[in-house]
Amino acid sequence: MLLVLAALPVLLYRMGAFLPHTMGQSDMDWAREVERENSTGHESAEGVIATGNGFSVVGYTNSRQPGVNQAWVLRFDKAPPPRWQRTYAGNGKLGTSGHAISSMPGGGLIVVGAERVPGGGFQGWLLALSPEGDVLWERTPGHEGVNGLNAVSVLEDGSIVAGGAQEREGWVVRMNSRGELLWEVKLPQLEHVTALVALPAQRVAVLGTAETSTVGPGISRLFVLESDGRATRETRLPAEGQGELNALALLPDGGFAVTGRLLRPGAMDPSVWVARLAPRGETLWEYVSEATEVGSGHAVTALADGGFAVAGYSWKELLVDREARVWRFSADGNLLWQQAHGGAKDDSGSGIARLADGSLVVVGTTMSKGAGKTDLWTFGLSPEGQLLWEETFGAP
């Protein structure tokens, strides 16, 4: 989604180059007005991580410098206001989008996403930050194109693994704590990596999607990479049919919690899909929301009791707008509670984390609340789902 938003001004600019030959002046004025409207006033949260007794959020804003997306990092204690917040434009100063965040040893942060490059393309981007948000180093591995990084984790030795897409193939890079490349691997079975988590012995579990289309979900695959990047295990998900998984969390028993969307046999639209996997990738149980509820899970976090919580969205009537959704499951697959959050317009949950005190923090994007067209949105929940606090961050 962020790549689409980031590319919109570029697309409209290119349209302006040839539209005089195909459109009337009023149509050109409309396109330029759309570009102006979308060049500022948009903020989004894409990921959240528990840090110390609080949490840190990554996303993007185009309000600080209209027409230029900037990665946006906010660090909180237990609740708003943020302890600090900063934006980062990347080496080329053409703009960046932050897609995922992880904690570094010593309290620092590692952010990954995409940096815009001359010519309208993108490439993978990593940013290492001190505990107070100062830039320690910045890297842009890989090639220019419609590329980027969507997921990041830190291994036991302090090295960093990040995953995304390079030339429409799944792509994973590993760097040491100084940002020096250790290895990179392509996973041609995937079109892009959606999530990854660190495993013992410097291994990593990688989740990604393939066979994607604009008319329905494709499929997902879960890989285990050894410390040298070799893939030693592969699991197709779902075993049959179509479904795409967006998020992955490691559970205390070495298994995994995953979430995304699944197309039921005979259904027209996909529904929210949640599953628990054994350490070797076999499905132990799965939950698919009612066929009439169209939506997707986008983030998952493990809980102390062996269960997990999921954040995402479901579409409202006629697929006009979305509402943010949060689900909590027990270890054996019982749905303990689910809630809708938001308002009359479009709202979505994109990240969730369990904090040190056991509460949950959810982040996403809202059009129903706040000052702007789309605002970065965060709210806290008790383990039982009670709303503890809520805040938006944005500009008109």
Side-chain angles (χ1 to χ4, degrees):
M1 179 64 73
L2 280 176
L3 288 177
V4 174
L5 290 170
L8 182 59
V10 177
L11 174 61
L12 292 172
Y13 174 82
R14 289 175 174 173
M15 289 171 61
F18 64 83
L19 283 175
H21 303 290
T22 59
M23 299 176 63
Q25 184 63 37
S26 61
D27 295 321
M28 290 174 55
D29 291 343
W30 171 84
R32 289 169 181 152
E33 180 61 26
V34 170
E35 181 179 6
R36 284 193 295 270
E37 282 292 310
N38 282 281
S39 68
T40 187
H42 294 284
E43 282 78 32
S44 175
E46 293 297 308
V48 60
I49 187 78
T51 45
N53 291 322
F55 60 98
S56 297
V57 180
V58 66
Y60 88 97
T61 174
N62 67 2
S63 299
R64 308 298 177 91
Q65 186 178 347
V68 176
N69 280 351
Q70 294 180 311
W72 192 10
V73 179
L74 305 89
R75 189 155 190 167
F76 297 82
D77 291 320
K78 292 184 178 180
R83 192 196 325 168
W84 56 259
Q85 56 176 305
R86 294 195 183 187
T87 57
Y88 305 90
N91 287 317
K93 309 305 179 186
L94 295 179
T96 56
S97 295
H99 295 172
I101 189 168
S102 189
S103 297
M104 295 282 285
L109 300 169
I110 183 76
V111 171
V112 301
E115 181 181 65
R116 186 174 169 185
V117 296
F122 299 86
Q123 68 183 107
W125 177 67
L126 294 96
L127 181 71
L129 303 175
S130 74
E132 298 306 319
D134 298 320
V135 175
L136 301 178
W137 51 259
E138 193 169 3
R139 301 288 185 268
T140 51
H143 307 293
E144 297 179 4
V146 186
N147 304 319
L149 294 167
N150 305 317
V152 64
S153 189
V154 176
L155 301 180
E156 293 170 329
D157 65 352
S159 63
I160 300 149
V161 285
Q166 188 78 205
E167 300 169 349
R168 290 191 60 80
E169 291 184 343
W171 177 46
V172 180
V173 298
R174 182 179 175 189
M175 294 183 169
N176 64 22
S177 60
R178 299 181 299 278
E180 298 165 340
L181 184 66
L182 300 177
W183 50 254
E184 62 179 318
V185 295
K186 292 281 190 68
L187 296 172
Q189 303 94 325
L190 301 176
E191 293 173 11
H192 64 274
V193 171
T194 57
L196 52 78
V197 295
L199 301 177
Q202 321 309 328
R203 297 177 301 144
V204 57
V206 178
L207 184 68
T209 59
E211 302 178 22
T212 57
S213 74
T214 58
V215 296
I219 62 169
S220 291
R221 287 188 171 92
L222 176 67
F223 292 85
V224 172
L225 304 185
E226 299 300 318
S227 60
D228 59 1
R230 291 179 297 112
T232 56
R233 194 185 311 159
E234 177 184 348
T235 305
R236 184 196 192 278
L237 299 162
E240 297 179 354
Q242 293 176 285
E244 294 177 355
L245 292 167
N246 300 313
L248 175 71
L250 183 65
L251 299 176
D253 67 351
F256 304 98
V258 294
T259 188
R261 59 181 188 149
L262 181 75
L263 188 64
R264 291 175 180 266
M268 296 292 294
D269 298 295
S271 301
V272 173
W273 178 28
V274 179
R276 179 171 184 151
L277 309 180
R280 297 193 62 83
E282 304 91 346
T283 299
L284 299 178
W285 58 257
E286 62 181 356
Y287 163 88
V288 183
S289 62
E290 297 178 2
T292 56
E293 183 182 81
V294 181
S296 180
H298 267 267
V300 60
T301 188
L303 304 179
D305 63 0
F308 46 90
V310 169
Y313 67 86
S314 60
W315 286 97
K316 300 176 186 176
E317 187 177 1
L318 300 179
L319 304 184
V320 175
D321 286 311
R322 298 169 298 174
E323 58 186 5
R325 285 269 183 167
V326 183
W327 299 260
R328 179 171 177 176
F329 296 88
S330 67
D332 57 2
N334 290 321
L335 177 61
L336 301 179
W337 51 258
Q338 63 172 313
Q339 296 179 350
H341 294 268
K345 297 182 181 179
D346 190 67
D347 311 291
S348 180
S350 56
I352 189 168
R354 176 177 64 89
L355 304 188
D357 63 0
S359 65
L360 299 171
V361 60
V362 180
V363 302
T365 305
T366 180
M367 295 183 70
S368 301
K369 308 169 184 289
K373 299 159 189 171
T374 58
D375 277 19
L376 186 152
W377 180 34
T378 180
F379 55 91
L381 299 174
S382 72
E384 296 75 33
Q386 177 186 3
L387 183 66
L388 302 177
W389 51 263
E390 182 178 21
E391 190 60 84
T392 61
F393 300 86

